[in-house]
Amino acid sequence: MKYHLRIWRQAGPDKPGRFEDYTVDNIEPDMSFLEMLDILNEQLIKEGKEPIAFDSDCREGICGMCGLVINGMAHGPRRLTTTCELRMRHFPDGATITVEPFRAEAFPIIKDLVVDRSALDRIIAAGGYISVNTGSAPDANAIPIPKHIAEEAMDAAACIGCGACVAACPNASAALFTAAKISHLALLPQGHPERERRVQRMVAQMDLEGFGNCSNHGECEAACPKGISILNIARMRREFLRAQVRGPVV
Amino acid sequence: MSVMTQTVVLDAKIPPGPLEDKWDNHKASVKLVSPANKRKYTIIVVGTGLAGASAAASLAELGYNVLNFCIQDSPRRAHSVAAQGGINAAKNYQNDGDSVFRLFYDTIKGGDYRAREANVYRLAQLSVQIIDQAVAQGVPFAREYGGLLANRSFGGAQVSRTFYARGQTGQQLLLGAYSALMRQVDAGRVKLFPRREMLDLVVIDGRARGIICRNLVTGEIEAYAADAVCLATGGYSTVYFLSTNAVNSNATAIWRAYKKGAMFANPCFTQIHPTCLPESYQGQSKLTLMSESLRNDGRVWVPKKKGDTRPPNEIPEDERDYFLERRYPAFGNLVPRDIASRAAKAVCDAGYGVGATGRAVYLDFSDAIKRLGVDVIRERYGNLFAMYHEITGEDPYKVPMRIYPAPHYTMGGLWVDYNLMTTIPGLYALGEANFSDHGANRLGASALMQGLADGYFIIPVTIGDFLAEHRPDGLKTDHPAFKEAIRNVEDQIKRLLSINGKRTVREYWWELGRIMWDYVGMSRNAEGLKKAISDIRALREEYWKNVRVPGSAEDLNKSLELAGRVADFLELGELMAMDALDREESCGGHFREEYQTPDGEALRRDDLFCHVSVWEYKGEGNDPVRHKEPLVFEVVKPSQRSYK
Ligand SMILES: Cc1cc2nc3c(=O)[nH]c(=O)nc-3n(C[C@H](O)[C@H](O)[C@H](O)COP(=O)(O)OP(=O)(O)OC[C@H]3O[C@@H](n4cnc5c(N)ncnc54)[C@H](O)[C@@H]3O)c2cc1C
Ligand code: SF4
Ligand code: FES
């Protein structure tokens, strides 16, 4: 199969960017989107041109390193699919495909399609953990956790930190990402002692990083490759209110 | 050219006393650094996978000043995140007869008696605490309706001791370790350096004192000094090009440490995992793993008739060969990985393979779906089935999966003693980067256990013993040894960029992968290994004349990153072949065709090879020298593994 690609090129953070057009041929239907870009890059290197910079690692949808806006959609047109999992069989032969980086004020572009998402790590550092030193844990079965609670916590914990929710949001809000971590830990008894402090600090950090506010568009949930539910945002709001009522702990 | 060198016998520093008391005795006798003094020490941890993140967090909790490096943009993305199936622990929550001894025994036997008893016993002991730690961190392991933890079974074991979080166990354990790490970042005790690649180790007066990194965003070459260095940089399966590993997984950190004097143990011990997606098109960049846990409920078969092209569902039951159940009735589909992989290769070599290339076997869930219902199967394996469906376009709830073995894990790695210290004082290796606990074959769900045991529980104890004797001396990176290491790294980068030849880095990597897979893969023989060695040498020579690396050294340049890694693979591949040639026996994942039993099982030669092969670098152009660490079995007597 053959494709025409319009790809965002940008030499560095402060350099101007623009779309450039490329053509790739002999693409197999089972090939992933990133493998298609690998082939384009091999072609560019042979032509003496600089290949397109993009991030990836696991190439199986779990590390959260990849992430492109494909035809205007974060991670492309398939639901519940990361860019690396997306297969070329979903694009008709001869199609023109537009490829851009995840765009957000809090995600500065490093080069071409590579962005800096370290703001997400800083949100986790602001309390996305349970304070337990190595070696001080009680027996794992000491506190039974109802299966449905464990499952719900797992649903939220499945977030891969890719940032597609931010890229998809008209306000570039990181609410879904932050809410997923807050929910995961708030659901579990182990997470309760720090819940007020956690939600207050994480939300404050999110604002500090320059992410926008959530105004319930729901685009995040639609773009999320791991099906993180927008109900987590509601839970985060409840946790936040609860913490306010109980007084500031930060 | 070869140099005359005396070989030495390495001392693993195994503590005295009965097996079950060794670790406790050791903990009671190691030297300590006082709490007030710990913050005066700086420890470098390279890697943020399970081993690196758990080590960095735990060392910082103790009060050390930690610098933590990784290639990815965030520590949470380390390759450990991709582990699917689970983690073993001798909790015996199922009351099915498990114990620390049994986990120890299964691991020693699974490793085909090529691991150290004392290490493996300690690993089994610590497994229990790992689960406690993870649950306390909020890792949402699977649970029963009563709220207690659930277990599944894995290959090579007849008990259910594997803890899991859906098919995302590695992700959840890593997020647990990552959260502990970020807590220390928050507290200011860990300084994080993402998008950095370690390119050299700095050794001063015979001791590891720092590292040289490339900042992958700005291209700057940076130097960091420390009182000790821990490498937790993962395995080297990507030497095969196609593997189940992440595309940035590499051997560079351990390889460059090897060239600075850290000896390399059992480089040829690699694991080819039986249940992966087969290679099916040009341009494929990885072979996705389908977790071993699937063999709990999936049945492996091929048609009884050669070249049978009927769709699988049209092949009647009595025309199917469930070859694992037939050959290994006691363990059936749950035989260890090396055995399952070789059996799949054997049926495909004999012409019974399925799929377009004939290099695949079926993994069939129809019986399990009939027995348990589709919902149970979905709950257990939903994400794996979805992944398979998305990649192949086929629905595994309706048609059997097609699978084939793929390079997955490397048991070999830097040699370490009982304290996890390499042959360079002050340099430690943790997780998949060391060779320690899995012998010639790793059992499923044991790598996560080992990485976390190393990082959470072992290194925090053993590193103090060394540091107590090596007081901080205020070493700075203006020391000439740092300057020289920086110059060497810069020279190599310049050289790579200046060749401007005709072939891309990936083309060389791919070609090396072919050589490795064909001759240093699932089965090996002397002739093939010799050919591999000469082919790799020729390819390496060509690489340095004809590779084309585009772009510059001054900014983000993924081709340049890869070029350095492939240069190292082109050397490591040769060492793997040399080690495989040297080990004239079959054991675990190392199958030498010349040494097999009449029914095709691995034939160990304990009289000659009951040792760890430990390779020492002797400079460019010289052959490395193979030393030995003899393996002494005091508790388990080596016998031929039987899973029949
Ligand atoms: C698909 C898959 C599934 C698996 N499933 C299981 C399972 O179910 N159970 C099980 O027990 N095991 C499983 N394994 C094996 C297990 O995941 C790994 O062995 C283990 O996670 C390795 O952890 P690690 O901490 O040693 O290294 P890794 O997680 O590989 O981490 C390596 C770290 O080192 C960094 N690094 C590497 N080189 C450099 C450098 N030069 N400079 C700076 N940083 C560097 C990387 O950035 C990364 O942070 C699986 C493996 C794969 C591939
Ligand atoms: S919530 Fe979804 S889209 Fe957002 S970071 Fe997590 S996985 Fe990615
Ligand atoms: S590369 Fe890991 S999620 Fe896509």
Side-chain angles (χ1 to χ4, degrees):
Chain A
M1 304 195 293
K2 183 174 177 167
Y3 297 99
H4 306 288
L5 300 159
R6 302 198 63 215
I7 301 180
W8 184 261
R9 303 297 311 254
Q10 182 169 336
D14 310 314
K15 307 273 166 58
R18 74 212 165 269
F19 281 105
E20 285 195 11
D21 295 322
Y22 304 93
T23 303
V24 279
D25 208 347
N26 297 320
I27 299 299
E28 304 268 347
D30 281 353
M31 217 173 248
S32 74
F33 200 85
L34 298 183
E35 287 168 344
M36 182 274 292
L37 289 181
D38 288 341
I39 290 193
L40 172 62
N41 275 345
E42 289 290 287
Q43 195 176 304
L44 292 176
I45 296 170
K46 297 238 159 186
E47 290 165 6
K49 296 182 185 143
E50 207 175 316
I52 296 146
F54 64 89
D55 267 332
S56 76
D57 200 20
C58 72
R59 298 214 171 181
E60 56 181 72
I62 193 72
C63 74
M65 185 110 174
C66 66
L68 302 174
V69 173
I70 300 166
N71 289 340
M73 287 165 281
H75 286 309
R78 296 275 298 171
R79 271 184 58 73
L80 301 177
T81 305
T82 57
T83 304
C84 62
E85 293 173 295
L86 182 62
R87 300 286 143 174
M88 293 313 293
R89 73 176 87 88
H90 302 302
F91 298 89
D93 193 7
T96 299
I97 308 171
T98 311
V99 188
E100 295 167 83
F102 279 3
R103 292 185 197 275
E105 198 188 306
F107 290 170
I109 292 180
I110 294 175
K111 186 175 181 178
D112 297 338
L113 305 171
V114 177
V115 300
D116 178 356
R117 288 168 292 191
S118 53
L120 300 181
D121 284 322
R122 290 189 291 273
I123 293 176
I124 300 294
Y129 49 74
I130 289 170
S131 299
V132 49
N133 279 358
T134 301
S136 58
D139 183 83
N141 260 347
I143 310 175
I145 301 174
K147 187 177 166 74
H148 72 275
I149 298 285
E151 294 291 329
E152 225 181 316
M154 178 65 213
D155 287 341
C159 164
I160 59 173
C162 62
C165 45
V166 177
C169 175
N171 308 333
S173 161
L176 193 63
F177 167 82
T178 311
K181 187 46 65 188
I182 286 170
S183 285
H184 159 211
L185 298 177
L187 280 160
L188 298 171
Q190 288 86 351
H192 287 175
E194 295 169 283
R195 66 201 282 191
E196 289 89 9
R197 183 177 143 84
R198 176 181 306 121
V199 67
Q200 290 184 333
R201 291 189 65 214
M202 287 179 75
V203 168
Q205 188 67 33
M206 181 171 82
D207 294 342
L208 197 69
E209 296 289 348
F211 291 104
N213 288 323
C214 169
S215 50
N216 300 321
H217 284 269
E219 299 287 346
C220 53
E221 186 186 60
C224 175
K226 296 293 136 181
I228 304 295
S229 160
I230 202 164
L231 293 175
N232 288 300
I233 299 182
R235 186 180 290 108
M236 173 168 75
R237 290 201 174 111
R238 281 202 304 278
E239 285 290 310
F240 192 75
L241 282 175
R242 191 175 173 281
Q244 301 290 79
V245 171
R246 301 202 163 196
V249 267
V250 177
Chain B
M1 192 183 6
S2 82
V3 282
M4 293 294 288
T5 320
Q6 212 71 60
T7 64
V8 298
V9 171
L10 284 103
D11 177 8
K13 304 215 174 73
I14 298 169
L19 192 57
E20 20 344 315
D21 299 336
K22 284 181 193 293
W23 179 234
D24 283 341
N25 290 345
H26 192 55
K27 278 194 291 187
S29 69
V30 293
K31 289 179 266 325
L32 301 172
V33 178
S34 81
N37 281 336
K38 287 204 180 84
R39 65 185 163 75
K40 298 179 188 151
Y41 288 89
T42 298
I43 301 173
I44 285 174
V45 178
V46 188
T48 60
L50 288 177
S54 60
S58 305
L59 291 169
E61 286 165 9
L62 289 175
Y64 294 111
N65 183 16
V66 177
L67 311 179
N68 192 196
F69 299 80
C70 70
I71 289 176
Q72 294 81 1
D73 64 334
S74 163
R76 65 181 290 156
R77 310 203 199 284
H79 174 58
S80 294
V81 78
Q84 302 171 346
I87 177 167
N88 288 331
K91 280 286 196 186
N92 194 29
Y93 283 157
Q94 306 307 324
N95 195 29
D96 58 358
D98 200 12
S99 63
V100 166
F101 184 85
R102 194 178 284 276
L103 173 54
F104 153 76
Y105 175 80
D106 286 350
T107 308
I108 286 278
K109 175 184 172 195
D112 216 355
Y113 307 96
R114 289 293 173 265
R116 239 183 243 152
E117 279 189 338
N119 279 55
V120 176
Y121 196 86
R122 173 178 64 186
L123 177 65
Q125 286 175 306
L126 293 173
S127 68
V128 173
Q129 283 181 60
I130 294 171
I131 303 303
D132 299 341
Q133 190 64 31
V135 167
Q137 290 167 342
V139 169
F141 283 124
R143 289 181 182 264
E144 306 291 355
Y145 282 105
L148 301 180
L149 292 161
N151 289 118
R152 55 168 57 140
S153 37
F154 251 60
Q158 287 171 313
V159 293
S160 275
R161 63 159 77 97
T162 304
F163 294 78
Y164 63 100
R166 295 195 190 143
Q168 291 126 276
T169 317
Q171 179 201 27
Q172 293 309 314
L173 287 168
L174 183 65
L175 292 180
Y178 161 78
S179 69
L181 174 67
M182 295 316 277
R183 175 172 163 244
Q184 295 306 313
V185 170
D186 192 25
R189 284 189 286 255
V190 173
K191 201 161 184 303
L192 214 53
F193 297 90
R195 292 202 195 265
R196 298 296 198 294
E197 181 160 15
M198 167 182 161
L199 295 178
D200 211 352
L201 177 76
V202 178
V203 179
I204 299 176
D205 299 332
R207 207 182 127 194
R209 293 310 305 270
I211 62 169
I212 308 297
C213 288
R214 182 165 180 270
N215 179 322
L216 301 180
V217 176
T218 64
E220 255 163 282
I221 304 300
E222 304 168 339
Y224 300 91
D227 297 288
V229 177
C230 301
L231 301 184
T233 50
Y236 50 89
S237 295
T238 40
V239 70
Y240 292 94
F241 184 77
L242 281 178
S243 78
T244 62
N245 285 203
V247 293
N248 293 308
S249 296
N250 70 91
T252 289
I254 56 170
W255 190 252
R256 299 200 181 177
Y258 163 74
K259 291 171 88 172
K260 281 288 171 80
M263 294 192 206
F264 208 118
N266 298 335
C268 83
F269 284 178
T270 59
Q271 175 166 80
I272 313 287
H273 195 296
T275 53
C276 306
L277 293 186
E279 190 182 343
S280 58
Y281 52 86
Q282 272 282 323
Q284 197 162 343
S285 58
K286 82 168 295 180
L287 299 170
T288 304
L289 175 77
M290 289 288 119
S291 167
E292 169 164 310
S293 59
L294 292 171
R295 286 197 274 142
N296 265 298
D297 289 307
R299 299 179 70 196
V300 177
W301 63 276
V302 288
K304 279 188 182 159
K305 205 163 71 200
K306 270 189 199 178
D308 192 336
T309 53
R310 284 175 293 175
N313 292 342
E314 285 171 24
I315 300 179
E317 196 57 32
D318 60 344
E319 292 178 40
R320 301 174 174 194
D321 177 15
Y322 293 91
F323 56 92
L324 290 178
E325 296 169 27
R326 172 170 58 78
R327 285 180 61 179
Y328 306 100
F331 280 67
N333 293 295
L334 282 175
V335 290
R337 293 175 176 174
D338 53 333
I339 292 178
S341 289
R342 270 199 299 280
K345 180 177 188 293
V347 291
C348 292
D349 286 349
Y352 298 95
V354 300
T357 59
R359 302 223 68 86
V361 300
Y362 290 124
L363 179 62
D364 195 336
F365 292 88
S366 50
D367 284 349
I369 290 174
K370 257 182 250 151
R371 191 175 72 243
L372 302 163
V374 80
D375 289 341
V376 172
I377 295 300
R378 182 167 292 123
E379 187 189 310
R380 286 187 190 164
Y381 313 111
N383 70 318
L384 294 169
F385 277 39
M387 204 197 280
Y388 183 88
H389 194 165
E390 192 60 42
I391 296 175
T392 61
E394 285 178 10
D395 180 359
Y397 292 100
K398 300 202 176 100
V399 231
M401 288 183 177
R402 272 178 291 112
I403 53 160
Y404 198 66
H408 176 61
Y409 183 88
T410 47
M411 283 75 71
L414 291 184
W415 184 86
V416 289
D417 64 15
Y418 188 76
N419 294 315
L420 304 183
M421 186 143 86
T422 67
T423 53
I424 301 178
L427 180 70
Y428 293 81
L430 280 57
E432 195 174 339
N434 73 26
F435 89 106
S436 63
D437 298 348
H438 308 292
N441 172 59
R442 174 175 72 78
L443 289 185
S446 288
L448 303 184
M449 170 171 79
Q450 183 228 328
L452 291 176
D454 287 0
Y456 282 135
F457 298 111
I458 301 174
I459 194 72
V461 173
T462 59
I463 209 167
D465 194 41
F466 173 82
L467 292 175
E469 300 256 287
H470 297 83
R471 292 294 175 82
D473 57 4
L475 177 77
K476 296 262 164 10
T477 54
D478 54 8
H479 187 283
F482 283 93
K483 297 214 167 113
E484 193 196 322
I486 291 178
R487 207 166 34 243
N488 289 343
V489 164
E490 285 174 344
D491 285 350
Q492 198 208 37
I493 290 174
K494 274 194 210 113
R495 212 176 135 203
L496 283 168
L497 286 168
S498 66
I499 300 166
N500 200 19
K502 298 234 158 19
R503 296 176 70 196
T504 67
V505 180
R506 266 178 91 88
E507 285 173 323
Y508 284 100
W509 187 15
W510 187 88
E511 199 172 320
L512 172 67
R514 282 290 116 161
I515 300 171
M516 296 303 293
W517 180 242
D518 288 344
Y519 303 111
V520 200
M522 250 191 293
S523 72
R524 305 151 176 192
N525 61 52
E527 199 190 328
L529 290 165
K530 285 181 192 149
K531 179 165 164 45
I533 292 170
S534 77
D535 287 0
I536 295 169
R537 283 184 183 163
L539 190 66
R540 187 167 68 225
E541 201 169 306
E542 197 207 309
Y543 184 77
W544 284 101
K545 289 191 189 126
N546 196 31
V547 72
R548 173 180 294 190
V549 185
S552 87
E554 274 89 54
D555 68 343
L556 187 142
N557 184 343
K558 303 242 176 198
S559 309
L560 178 61
E561 293 167 27
L562 189 61
R565 294 173 200 158
V566 171
D568 294 339
F569 287 148
L570 284 163
E571 297 178 4
L572 167 61
E574 183 184 339
L575 186 70
M576 290 167 69
M578 289 172 100
D579 184 42
L581 186 61
D582 180 68
R583 188 170 280 276
E584 293 176 328
E585 66 162 349
S586 295
C587 57
H590 170 65
F591 191 76
R592 279 285 300 265
E593 287 158 12
E594 302 95 320
Y595 307 100
Q596 47 182 309
T597 62
D599 50 355
E601 304 294 345
L603 185 67
R604 269 196 349 257
R605 299 171 76 196
D606 290 339
D607 48 337
L608 295 168
F609 292 97
C610 195
H611 61 246
V612 181
S613 297
V614 192
W615 295 85
E616 183 186 7
Y617 183 69
K618 284 290 178 189
E620 207 173 315
N622 299 319
D623 281 341
V625 172
R626 198 250 309 107
H627 305 285
K628 287 180 189 174
E629 178 203 333
L631 291 167
V632 182
F633 291 90
E634 289 175 348
V635 177
V636 179
K637 288 286 155 250
S639 57
Q640 201 209 319
R641 284 189 308 172
S642 169
Y643 292 93
K644 303 193 165 162

